[in-house]
């Protein structure tokens, strides 16, 4: 029988891998979770000889068991190709007493590309397998990185359309320019008059609208999500931890079976959960170092066993980690509750209703694999300066949070295990904050001049993703209020008389 997934909130809600990818979220609001974590079935020595694509197949086939070999391999080939600017896909760079795993060599220069360049192919294959003939309409609310990576991934993918909503004044100028210049006849980008939470709530409301669902169905459409809780985003993220370990082995940095630590700048808990799954599969990982910025909900959770989202939201220089509800943590809670959907559902209910929950002492014991800490804004900037001054290597703000937390871990524990730091964005994506850390005097310089300055200082060519938007034409002009979002979606799909009441399309 096919490997089955079940919901973290109802063990009876089951799905195949392809159904789980198509649906994204279980009907009860829970996340799909594999019934067991499969063990790696090739040796580490063998992995050390594999390409990224071969490693991807060796890992993903264990989770996506209802995909045929040919289906999965063709998804992998279509995703990890010359869209990445290096054949290694995720190179490892030795600096500052650690190994930076550069996850930003894809089309939008942030690590979201690792999963979003394959998700569209997995989704189309899953639709075919499940005899879905509707076009899949992806709806996404974004605070910056996910939107552009999803647009790039789904652009011109046959059988799909994508609509991205972003808060008009809530993303960086480079992030906005990246989105509104997106090509592809099936892509739509909309600025919301409101903040990210309103955009997100609007999307959730559209998903819950049964009448709209029926109308879409009649016109041959169905909705899906490219959100990071989709198992089709989580599984591809396990691959690069296995690949990084294999590269360290191939270069004789470590011996076969020697453990490594992994440090991850964390927001929604997706990337570090993938590392945790890699460990469960048998990859020799000692500590999972969970790094937060000043929104340190996870640090407090690892300290006290209490998850408490009722606090002030802080805007930081690592905006992709500015988050108070880490959705993917639910998968860890489910596991340490003894794979008990009922217990997990009770915690999630408490989180929704009271804003917090506290795990048992026994569950807390099971978190020994993790170390949590955070850096302040000042510390983050200092880390960027230090790494640059000591090694001439420029890291982005998110990566700097992970490096800062790793330094704290190392000085507390004296653990000198070889450590991999997930480097989640190119410094060019956050040019202004990075340059400000290196040279506080540069505040009045224009964005693209700063890009050139960063290129000079770092000795790194300006990435294609940034060059492209210097002169690119703005192709998306739509703006609307949160209430108008369903009408905007209908209009894009050519349905009904949705046009009349819209403010400024
Ligand atoms: C999304 C993102 C993160 C956080 O990753 P999670 O999987 O949400 O924990 C960190 N850094 C960057 C640059 C990101 O875009």
């Amino acid at each position: 029988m096919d490997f089955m997934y079940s919901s973290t909130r109802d063990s009876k809600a089951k799905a195949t891998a392809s159904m789980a990818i198509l649906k994204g979220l279980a009907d009860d609001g829970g996340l799909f979770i594999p019934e067991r974590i499969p063990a790696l079935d090739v040796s580490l020595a063998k992995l050390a000889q594999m390409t990224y694509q071969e490693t991807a197949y060796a890992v993903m086939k264990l989770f996506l068991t209802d995909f045929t070999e040919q289906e999965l391999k063709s998804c992998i080939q279509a995703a990890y190709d010359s869209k990445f600017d290096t054949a290694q896909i995720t190179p490892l760079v030795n600096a500052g007493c650690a190994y930076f795993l550069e996850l930003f060599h894809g089309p939008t220069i942030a690590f979201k590309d690792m999963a979003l360049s394959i998700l569209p192919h997995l989704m189309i294959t899953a639709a075919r397998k499940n005899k879905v003939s509707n076009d899949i309409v992806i709806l996404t609310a974004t605070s910056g990185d996910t939107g552009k990576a999803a647009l790039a991934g789904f652009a011109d993918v046959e059988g799909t359309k994508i609509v991205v909503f972003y808060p008009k004044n809530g993303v960086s100028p480079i992030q906005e320019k990246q989105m509104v210049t997106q090509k592809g006849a099936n892509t739509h980008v909309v600025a919301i008059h409101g903040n990210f939470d309103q955009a997100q709530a609007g999307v959730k409301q559209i998903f819950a609208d049964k009448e709209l669902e029926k109308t879409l169905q009649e016109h041959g459409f169905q909705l899906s999500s490219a959100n990071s809780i989709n198992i089709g985003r989580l599984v591809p993220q396990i691959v690069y931890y296995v690949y990084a370990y294999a590269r360290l082995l191939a270069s004789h940095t470590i011996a076969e079976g020697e453990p490594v630590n992994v440090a991850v700048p964390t927001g929604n808990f997706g990337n570090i959960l993938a590392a945790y799954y890699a460990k469960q599969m048998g990859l020799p990982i000692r500590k999972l170092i969970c790094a937060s910025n000043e929104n340190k909900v996870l640090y407090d959770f690892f300290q006290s066993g209490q998850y408490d989202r009722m606090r002030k939201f802080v805007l930081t220089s690592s905006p992709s980690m500015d988050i108070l509800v880490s959705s993917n943590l639910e998968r860890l809670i489910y596991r340490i509750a003894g794979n008990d959907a009922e217990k997990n559902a009770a915690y999630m209910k408490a989180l929704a209703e009271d804003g917090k929950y506290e795990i048992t002492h026994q569950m807390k014991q099971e978190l020994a694999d993790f170390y949590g800490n955070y850096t302040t804004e000042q510390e983050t900037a200092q880390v960027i300066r230090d790494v640059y001054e000591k090694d001439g290597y420029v890291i982005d703000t998110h990566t700097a949070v992970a490096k800062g937390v790793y330094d704290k871990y190392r000085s507390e524990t004296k653990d000198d295990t070889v450590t991999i730091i997930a480097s989640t964005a190119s410094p060019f994506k956050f040019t202004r904050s990075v340059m400000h850390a290196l040279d506080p005097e540069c505040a009045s310089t224009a964005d693209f001049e700063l890009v050139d300055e960063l290129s000079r200082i770092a000795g790194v060519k300006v990435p294609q993703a940034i060059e492209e938007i210097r002169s690119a034409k703005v192709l998306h002009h739509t703006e609307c209020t949160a209430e108008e979002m369903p009408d905007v979606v209908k209009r894009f799909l050519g349905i009904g008389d949705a046009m009349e009441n819209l403010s400024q399309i």
Side-chain angles (χ1 to χ4, degrees), residues 109-112 145-146 228 233 237 264-272 298 320-321 323 328 396 398-399 423-426 429-430:
I109 61 176
F111 101 98
K112 303 288 192 292
D145 288 343
T146 294
S228 82
R233 274 188 65 178
Q237 294 182 170
V264 185
T266 297
N268 226 353
F269 209 75
N271 203 2
I272 194 163
L298 288 166
S320 305
M321 297 158 65
I323 194 158
N328 274 298
D396 103 289
H398 303 74
T399 308
S423 180
T424 50
S426 158
K429 188 140 194 174
F430 299 95

PDB file of all heavy atoms in Angstrom, residues 109-112 145-146 228 233 237 264-272 298 320-321 323 328 396 398-399 423-426 429-430, ligand 1:
ATOM      1  N   ILE A 109      16.982  34.397  -5.371  1.00  0.00           N
ATOM      2  CA  ILE A 109      18.084  34.560  -4.419  1.00  0.00           C
ATOM      3  C   ILE A 109      17.702  34.464  -2.936  1.00  0.00           C
ATOM      4  O   ILE A 109      18.326  35.071  -2.075  1.00  0.00           O
ATOM      5  CB  ILE A 109      18.944  35.830  -4.705  1.00  0.00           C
ATOM      6  CG1 ILE A 109      18.133  37.125  -4.619  1.00  0.00           C
ATOM      7  CG2 ILE A 109      19.628  35.716  -6.055  1.00  0.00           C
ATOM      8  CD1 ILE A 109      19.025  38.375  -4.797  1.00  0.00           C
ATOM      9  N   ALA A 110      16.679  33.662  -2.632  1.00  0.00           N
ATOM     10  CA  ALA A 110      16.387  33.319  -1.232  1.00  0.00           C
ATOM     11  C   ALA A 110      16.085  31.827  -1.156  1.00  0.00           C
ATOM     12  O   ALA A 110      15.776  31.203  -2.178  1.00  0.00           O
ATOM     13  CB  ALA A 110      15.211  34.120  -0.698  1.00  0.00           C
ATOM     14  N   PHE A 111      16.148  31.247   0.043  1.00  0.00           N
ATOM     15  CA  PHE A 111      16.065  29.783   0.126  1.00  0.00           C
ATOM     16  C   PHE A 111      14.699  29.231  -0.229  1.00  0.00           C
ATOM     17  O   PHE A 111      14.561  28.043  -0.499  1.00  0.00           O
ATOM     18  CB  PHE A 111      16.525  29.303   1.516  1.00  0.00           C
ATOM     19  CG  PHE A 111      15.414  28.955   2.460  1.00  0.00           C
ATOM     20  CD1 PHE A 111      15.025  27.627   2.623  1.00  0.00           C
ATOM     21  CD2 PHE A 111      14.748  29.924   3.180  1.00  0.00           C
ATOM     22  CE1 PHE A 111      13.998  27.282   3.492  1.00  0.00           C
ATOM     23  CE2 PHE A 111      13.721  29.592   4.048  1.00  0.00           C
ATOM     24  CZ  PHE A 111      13.341  28.271   4.205  1.00  0.00           C
ATOM     25  N   LYS A 112      13.670  30.089  -0.297  1.00  0.00           N
ATOM     26  CA  LYS A 112      12.343  29.619  -0.702  1.00  0.00           C
ATOM     27  C   LYS A 112      12.382  28.958  -2.092  1.00  0.00           C
ATOM     28  O   LYS A 112      11.533  28.132  -2.409  1.00  0.00           O
ATOM     29  CB  LYS A 112      11.342  30.769  -0.716  1.00  0.00           C
ATOM     30  CG  LYS A 112      11.180  31.536   0.590  1.00  0.00           C
ATOM     31  CD  LYS A 112      10.452  30.743   1.654  1.00  0.00           C
ATOM     32  CE  LYS A 112      10.048  31.604   2.847  1.00  0.00           C
ATOM     33  NZ  LYS A 112      11.183  32.085   3.660  1.00  0.00           N
ATOM     34  N   ASP A 145       9.406  37.264   0.511  1.00  0.00           N
ATOM     35  CA  ASP A 145      10.185  36.238  -0.191  1.00  0.00           C
ATOM     36  C   ASP A 145       9.348  35.134  -0.828  1.00  0.00           C
ATOM     37  O   ASP A 145       9.609  34.714  -1.951  1.00  0.00           O
ATOM     38  CB  ASP A 145      11.204  35.595   0.761  1.00  0.00           C
ATOM     39  CG  ASP A 145      12.345  36.545   1.085  1.00  0.00           C
ATOM     40  OD1 ASP A 145      12.519  37.530   0.344  1.00  0.00           O
ATOM     41  OD2 ASP A 145      13.064  36.290   2.075  1.00  0.00           O
ATOM     42  N   THR A 146       8.338  34.643  -0.125  1.00  0.00           N
ATOM     43  CA  THR A 146       7.544  33.546  -0.666  1.00  0.00           C
ATOM     44  C   THR A 146       6.842  33.949  -1.960  1.00  0.00           C
ATOM     45  O   THR A 146       6.806  33.176  -2.911  1.00  0.00           O
ATOM     46  CB  THR A 146       6.491  33.081   0.364  1.00  0.00           C
ATOM     47  OG1 THR A 146       7.179  32.518   1.475  1.00  0.00           O
ATOM     48  CG2 THR A 146       5.572  32.028  -0.208  1.00  0.00           C
ATOM     49  N   SER A 228       4.154  27.350   3.316  1.00  0.00           N
ATOM     50  CA  SER A 228       5.240  26.469   3.756  1.00  0.00           C
ATOM     51  C   SER A 228       4.767  25.275   4.580  1.00  0.00           C
ATOM     52  O   SER A 228       5.566  24.433   4.950  1.00  0.00           O
ATOM     53  CB  SER A 228       6.294  27.247   4.538  1.00  0.00           C
ATOM     54  OG  SER A 228       5.886  27.418   5.869  1.00  0.00           O
ATOM     55  N   ARG A 233       6.545  21.274   0.096  1.00  0.00           N
ATOM     56  CA  ARG A 233       7.629  22.230   0.335  1.00  0.00           C
ATOM     57  C   ARG A 233       8.605  21.681   1.363  1.00  0.00           C
ATOM     58  O   ARG A 233       9.803  21.950   1.294  1.00  0.00           O
ATOM     59  CB  ARG A 233       7.071  23.582   0.809  1.00  0.00           C
ATOM     60  CG  ARG A 233       6.694  24.470  -0.364  1.00  0.00           C
ATOM     61  CD  ARG A 233       6.323  25.864   0.071  1.00  0.00           C
ATOM     62  NE  ARG A 233       7.418  26.620   0.659  1.00  0.00           N
ATOM     63  CZ  ARG A 233       7.311  27.873   1.068  1.00  0.00           C
ATOM     64  NH1 ARG A 233       6.155  28.515   0.932  1.00  0.00           N
ATOM     65  NH2 ARG A 233       8.333  28.495   1.597  1.00  0.00           N
ATOM     66  N   GLN A 237      13.160  20.207   1.200  1.00  0.00           N
ATOM     67  CA  GLN A 237      14.122  20.906   2.058  1.00  0.00           C
ATOM     68  C   GLN A 237      14.999  19.935   2.855  1.00  0.00           C
ATOM     69  O   GLN A 237      16.027  20.335   3.399  1.00  0.00           O
ATOM     70  CB  GLN A 237      13.386  21.863   3.006  1.00  0.00           C
ATOM     71  CG  GLN A 237      12.710  22.993   2.244  1.00  0.00           C
ATOM     72  CD  GLN A 237      12.000  24.008   3.128  1.00  0.00           C
ATOM     73  OE1 GLN A 237      11.592  25.037   2.638  1.00  0.00           O
ATOM     74  NE2 GLN A 237      11.831  23.734   4.392  1.00  0.00           N
ATOM     75  N   VAL A 264      20.029  27.025  12.066  1.00  0.00           N
ATOM     76  CA  VAL A 264      19.043  27.493  11.087  1.00  0.00           C
ATOM     77  C   VAL A 264      18.348  28.771  11.571  1.00  0.00           C
ATOM     78  O   VAL A 264      17.801  28.799  12.677  1.00  0.00           O
ATOM     79  CB  VAL A 264      17.971  26.399  10.845  1.00  0.00           C
ATOM     80  CG1 VAL A 264      17.016  26.833   9.740  1.00  0.00           C
ATOM     81  CG2 VAL A 264      18.609  25.061  10.496  1.00  0.00           C
ATOM     82  N   PRO A 265      18.359  29.830  10.733  1.00  0.00           N
ATOM     83  CA  PRO A 265      17.585  31.028  11.072  1.00  0.00           C
ATOM     84  C   PRO A 265      16.104  30.723  10.863  1.00  0.00           C
ATOM     85  O   PRO A 265      15.690  30.375   9.759  1.00  0.00           O
ATOM     86  CB  PRO A 265      18.075  32.076  10.076  1.00  0.00           C
ATOM     87  CG  PRO A 265      18.581  31.300   8.898  1.00  0.00           C
ATOM     88  CD  PRO A 265      19.034  29.957   9.425  1.00  0.00           C
ATOM     89  N   THR A 266      15.311  30.847  11.905  1.00  0.00           N
ATOM     90  CA  THR A 266      13.982  30.242  11.887  1.00  0.00           C
ATOM     91  C   THR A 266      12.839  31.254  11.993  1.00  0.00           C
ATOM     92  O   THR A 266      12.914  32.205  12.779  1.00  0.00           O
ATOM     93  CB  THR A 266      13.890  29.221  13.044  1.00  0.00           C
ATOM     94  OG1 THR A 266      14.854  28.197  12.789  1.00  0.00           O
ATOM     95  CG2 THR A 266      12.529  28.583  13.124  1.00  0.00           C
ATOM     96  N   GLY A 267      11.791  31.013  11.186  1.00  0.00           N
ATOM     97  CA  GLY A 267      10.581  31.831  11.247  1.00  0.00           C
ATOM     98  C   GLY A 267       9.393  30.918  11.459  1.00  0.00           C
ATOM     99  O   GLY A 267       8.877  30.751  12.559  1.00  0.00           O
ATOM    100  N   ASN A 268       8.984  30.259  10.365  1.00  0.00           N
ATOM    101  CA  ASN A 268       7.822  29.384  10.407  1.00  0.00           C
ATOM    102  C   ASN A 268       8.179  27.956  10.819  1.00  0.00           C
ATOM    103  O   ASN A 268       7.337  27.074  10.801  1.00  0.00           O
ATOM    104  CB  ASN A 268       7.157  29.373   9.034  1.00  0.00           C
ATOM    105  CG  ASN A 268       5.660  29.541   9.126  1.00  0.00           C
ATOM    106  OD1 ASN A 268       5.087  29.541  10.213  1.00  0.00           O
ATOM    107  ND2 ASN A 268       5.021  29.651   7.993  1.00  0.00           N
ATOM    108  N   PHE A 269       9.436  27.703  11.153  1.00  0.00           N
ATOM    109  CA  PHE A 269       9.919  26.410  11.629  1.00  0.00           C
ATOM    110  C   PHE A 269       9.934  25.333  10.530  1.00  0.00           C
ATOM    111  O   PHE A 269      10.011  24.137  10.810  1.00  0.00           O
ATOM    112  CB  PHE A 269       9.090  25.906  12.834  1.00  0.00           C
ATOM    113  CG  PHE A 269       9.868  25.029  13.792  1.00  0.00           C
ATOM    114  CD1 PHE A 269      10.780  25.575  14.665  1.00  0.00           C
ATOM    115  CD2 PHE A 269       9.685  23.652  13.809  1.00  0.00           C
ATOM    116  CE1 PHE A 269      11.504  24.771  15.547  1.00  0.00           C
ATOM    117  CE2 PHE A 269      10.395  22.831  14.686  1.00  0.00           C
ATOM    118  CZ  PHE A 269      11.305  23.404  15.556  1.00  0.00           C
ATOM    119  N   GLY A 270       9.897  25.751   9.259  1.00  0.00           N
ATOM    120  CA  GLY A 270       9.911  24.762   8.171  1.00  0.00           C
ATOM    121  C   GLY A 270      11.311  24.238   7.899  1.00  0.00           C
ATOM    122  O   GLY A 270      11.544  23.020   7.822  1.00  0.00           O
ATOM    123  N   ASN A 271      12.261  25.162   7.764  1.00  0.00           N
ATOM    124  CA  ASN A 271      13.618  24.791   7.391  1.00  0.00           C
ATOM    125  C   ASN A 271      14.273  23.916   8.466  1.00  0.00           C
ATOM    126  O   ASN A 271      14.903  22.896   8.168  1.00  0.00           O
ATOM    127  CB  ASN A 271      14.414  26.085   7.171  1.00  0.00           C
ATOM    128  CG  ASN A 271      15.620  25.886   6.278  1.00  0.00           C
ATOM    129  OD1 ASN A 271      15.867  24.786   5.768  1.00  0.00           O
ATOM    130  ND2 ASN A 271      16.381  26.945   6.097  1.00  0.00           N
ATOM    131  N   ILE A 272      14.109  24.283   9.728  1.00  0.00           N
ATOM    132  CA  ILE A 272      14.751  23.496  10.790  1.00  0.00           C
ATOM    133  C   ILE A 272      14.021  22.166  10.996  1.00  0.00           C
ATOM    134  O   ILE A 272      14.641  21.155  11.339  1.00  0.00           O
ATOM    135  CB  ILE A 272      14.876  24.292  12.106  1.00  0.00           C
ATOM    136  CG1 ILE A 272      15.855  23.567  13.049  1.00  0.00           C
ATOM    137  CG2 ILE A 272      13.531  24.525  12.766  1.00  0.00           C
ATOM    138  CD1 ILE A 272      16.390  24.407  14.177  1.00  0.00           C
ATOM    139  N   LEU A 298      10.244  31.221  19.910  1.00  0.00           N
ATOM    140  CA  LEU A 298      10.780  29.854  19.942  1.00  0.00           C
ATOM    141  C   LEU A 298      11.849  29.695  21.022  1.00  0.00           C
ATOM    142  O   LEU A 298      11.929  28.663  21.686  1.00  0.00           O
ATOM    143  CB  LEU A 298      11.337  29.475  18.569  1.00  0.00           C
ATOM    144  CG  LEU A 298      10.268  29.238  17.500  1.00  0.00           C
ATOM    145  CD1 LEU A 298      10.883  29.203  16.103  1.00  0.00           C
ATOM    146  CD2 LEU A 298       9.499  27.936  17.762  1.00  0.00           C
ATOM    147  N   SER A 320      11.866  38.122   7.141  1.00  0.00           N
ATOM    148  CA  SER A 320      11.286  36.805   6.833  1.00  0.00           C
ATOM    149  C   SER A 320      11.208  35.923   8.072  1.00  0.00           C
ATOM    150  O   SER A 320      10.671  34.819   8.028  1.00  0.00           O
ATOM    151  CB  SER A 320      12.089  36.110   5.743  1.00  0.00           C
ATOM    152  OG  SER A 320      12.169  36.941   4.616  1.00  0.00           O
ATOM    153  N   MET A 321      11.760  36.396   9.189  1.00  0.00           N
ATOM    154  CA  MET A 321      11.668  35.670  10.459  1.00  0.00           C
ATOM    155  C   MET A 321      10.810  36.434  11.465  1.00  0.00           C
ATOM    156  O   MET A 321      10.752  36.055  12.629  1.00  0.00           O
ATOM    157  CB  MET A 321      13.065  35.460  11.043  1.00  0.00           C
ATOM    158  CG  MET A 321      13.950  34.601  10.164  1.00  0.00           C
ATOM    159  SD  MET A 321      15.699  34.864  10.510  1.00  0.00           S
ATOM    160  CE  MET A 321      15.818  34.253  12.180  1.00  0.00           C
ATOM    161  N   ILE A 323       7.812  36.656  12.922  1.00  0.00           N
ATOM    162  CA  ILE A 323       6.634  35.805  12.945  1.00  0.00           C
ATOM    163  C   ILE A 323       6.410  35.348  14.389  1.00  0.00           C
ATOM    164  O   ILE A 323       7.367  35.088  15.116  1.00  0.00           O
ATOM    165  CB  ILE A 323       6.863  34.639  11.958  1.00  0.00           C
ATOM    166  CG1 ILE A 323       5.595  33.888  11.634  1.00  0.00           C
ATOM    167  CG2 ILE A 323       7.906  33.673  12.428  1.00  0.00           C
ATOM    168  CD1 ILE A 323       5.729  33.139  10.324  1.00  0.00           C
ATOM    169  N   ASN A 328       4.820  25.424  11.377  1.00  0.00           N
ATOM    170  CA  ASN A 328       5.360  24.063  11.272  1.00  0.00           C
ATOM    171  C   ASN A 328       5.760  23.447  12.609  1.00  0.00           C
ATOM    172  O   ASN A 328       6.009  22.250  12.686  1.00  0.00           O
ATOM    173  CB  ASN A 328       6.560  24.037  10.323  1.00  0.00           C
ATOM    174  CG  ASN A 328       6.122  23.856   8.884  1.00  0.00           C
ATOM    175  OD1 ASN A 328       5.525  22.832   8.545  1.00  0.00           O
ATOM    176  ND2 ASN A 328       6.386  24.842   8.060  1.00  0.00           N
ATOM    177  N   ASP A 396      23.919  37.708   4.756  1.00  0.00           N
ATOM    178  CA  ASP A 396      22.704  38.515   4.879  1.00  0.00           C
ATOM    179  C   ASP A 396      22.254  38.557   6.352  1.00  0.00           C
ATOM    180  O   ASP A 396      22.810  37.868   7.211  1.00  0.00           O
ATOM    181  CB  ASP A 396      21.600  37.965   3.954  1.00  0.00           C
ATOM    182  CG  ASP A 396      20.562  37.168   4.722  1.00  0.00           C
ATOM    183  OD1 ASP A 396      20.915  36.062   5.175  1.00  0.00           O
ATOM    184  OD2 ASP A 396      19.435  37.658   4.899  1.00  0.00           O
ATOM    185  N   HIS A 398      19.494  37.444   7.870  1.00  0.00           N
ATOM    186  CA  HIS A 398      18.906  36.217   8.418  1.00  0.00           C
ATOM    187  C   HIS A 398      20.004  35.225   8.795  1.00  0.00           C
ATOM    188  O   HIS A 398      19.996  34.631   9.877  1.00  0.00           O
ATOM    189  CB  HIS A 398      17.939  35.591   7.411  1.00  0.00           C
ATOM    190  CG  HIS A 398      16.842  36.513   6.981  1.00  0.00           C
ATOM    191  ND1 HIS A 398      17.064  37.558   6.128  1.00  0.00           N
ATOM    192  CD2 HIS A 398      15.521  36.556   7.302  1.00  0.00           C
ATOM    193  CE1 HIS A 398      15.927  38.219   5.942  1.00  0.00           C
ATOM    194  NE2 HIS A 398      14.973  37.631   6.659  1.00  0.00           N
ATOM    195  N   THR A 399      20.947  35.079   7.868  1.00  0.00           N
ATOM    196  CA  THR A 399      22.084  34.180   8.096  1.00  0.00           C
ATOM    197  C   THR A 399      22.898  34.654   9.299  1.00  0.00           C
ATOM    198  O   THR A 399      23.401  33.842  10.077  1.00  0.00           O
ATOM    199  CB  THR A 399      22.952  34.145   6.824  1.00  0.00           C
ATOM    200  OG1 THR A 399      22.101  33.855   5.708  1.00  0.00           O
ATOM    201  CG2 THR A 399      24.042  33.090   6.934  1.00  0.00           C
ATOM    202  N   SER A 423      22.391  29.266   5.134  1.00  0.00           N
ATOM    203  CA  SER A 423      22.477  30.644   4.676  1.00  0.00           C
ATOM    204  C   SER A 423      21.288  30.882   3.749  1.00  0.00           C
ATOM    205  O   SER A 423      21.255  30.380   2.632  1.00  0.00           O
ATOM    206  CB  SER A 423      23.810  30.847   3.947  1.00  0.00           C
ATOM    207  OG  SER A 423      23.905  32.164   3.495  1.00  0.00           O
ATOM    208  N   THR A 424      20.279  31.613   4.261  1.00  0.00           N
ATOM    209  CA  THR A 424      18.967  31.563   3.620  1.00  0.00           C
ATOM    210  C   THR A 424      18.696  32.661   2.591  1.00  0.00           C
ATOM    211  O   THR A 424      17.707  32.586   1.879  1.00  0.00           O
ATOM    212  CB  THR A 424      17.845  31.591   4.678  1.00  0.00           C
ATOM    213  OG1 THR A 424      18.095  32.662   5.572  1.00  0.00           O
ATOM    214  CG2 THR A 424      17.787  30.277   5.439  1.00  0.00           C
ATOM    215  N   ALA A 425      19.540  33.671   2.532  1.00  0.00           N
ATOM    216  CA  ALA A 425      19.307  34.693   1.499  1.00  0.00           C
ATOM    217  C   ALA A 425      20.625  35.296   1.055  1.00  0.00           C
ATOM    218  O   ALA A 425      21.581  35.368   1.826  1.00  0.00           O
ATOM    219  CB  ALA A 425      18.382  35.792   2.012  1.00  0.00           C
ATOM    220  N   SER A 426      20.656  35.726  -0.189  1.00  0.00           N
ATOM    221  CA  SER A 426      21.802  36.474  -0.688  1.00  0.00           C
ATOM    222  C   SER A 426      21.827  37.830   0.014  1.00  0.00           C
ATOM    223  O   SER A 426      20.774  38.433   0.224  1.00  0.00           O
ATOM    224  CB  SER A 426      21.644  36.678  -2.200  1.00  0.00           C
ATOM    225  OG  SER A 426      22.426  37.776  -2.615  1.00  0.00           O
ATOM    226  N   LYS A 429      19.724  40.629  -1.456  1.00  0.00           N
ATOM    227  CA  LYS A 429      18.278  40.738  -1.275  1.00  0.00           C
ATOM    228  C   LYS A 429      17.953  41.725  -0.153  1.00  0.00           C
ATOM    229  O   LYS A 429      16.878  42.311  -0.123  1.00  0.00           O
ATOM    230  CB  LYS A 429      17.680  39.369  -0.971  1.00  0.00           C
ATOM    231  CG  LYS A 429      16.184  39.372  -0.974  1.00  0.00           C
ATOM    232  CD  LYS A 429      15.596  38.145  -1.614  1.00  0.00           C
ATOM    233  CE  LYS A 429      14.118  38.369  -1.885  1.00  0.00           C
ATOM    234  NZ  LYS A 429      13.537  37.277  -2.634  1.00  0.00           N
ATOM    235  N   PHE A 430      18.890  41.886   0.769  1.00  0.00           N
ATOM    236  CA  PHE A 430      18.685  42.810   1.888  1.00  0.00           C
ATOM    237  C   PHE A 430      19.833  43.814   1.921  1.00  0.00           C
ATOM    238  O   PHE A 430      20.412  44.100   2.961  1.00  0.00           O
ATOM    239  CB  PHE A 430      18.538  42.024   3.190  1.00  0.00           C
ATOM    240  CG  PHE A 430      17.357  41.096   3.142  1.00  0.00           C
ATOM    241  CD1 PHE A 430      17.508  39.766   2.768  1.00  0.00           C
ATOM    242  CD2 PHE A 430      16.080  41.575   3.387  1.00  0.00           C
ATOM    243  CE1 PHE A 430      16.410  38.924   2.656  1.00  0.00           C
ATOM    244  CE2 PHE A 430      14.971  40.741   3.277  1.00  0.00           C
ATOM    245  CZ  PHE A 430      15.138  39.415   2.913  1.00  0.00           C
TER     246      PHE A 430
HETATM  247  C1  LIG B   1      11.474  32.115   5.047  1.00  0.00           C
HETATM  248  C2  LIG B   1      12.823  32.536   5.466  1.00  0.00           C
HETATM  249  C3  LIG B   1      13.382  32.135   6.702  1.00  0.00           C
HETATM  250  C4  LIG B   1      12.612  31.314   7.718  1.00  0.00           C
HETATM  251  O1  LIG B   1      12.420  29.985   7.308  1.00  0.00           O
HETATM  252  P1  LIG B   1      11.292  29.082   8.023  1.00  0.00           P
HETATM  253  O2  LIG B   1      11.278  27.825   7.228  1.00  0.00           O
HETATM  254  O3  LIG B   1      10.022  29.860   7.884  1.00  0.00           O
HETATM  255  O4  LIG B   1      11.689  28.888   9.429  1.00  0.00           O
HETATM  256  C5  LIG B   1      14.677  32.533   6.996  1.00  0.00           C
HETATM  257  N1  LIG B   1      15.384  33.300   6.139  1.00  0.00           N
HETATM  258  C6  LIG B   1      14.877  33.710   4.950  1.00  0.00           C
HETATM  259  C7  LIG B   1      15.709  34.584   4.072  1.00  0.00           C
HETATM  260  C8  LIG B   1      13.588  33.341   4.564  1.00  0.00           C
HETATM  261  O5  LIG B   1      13.101  33.770   3.378  1.00  0.00           O
END
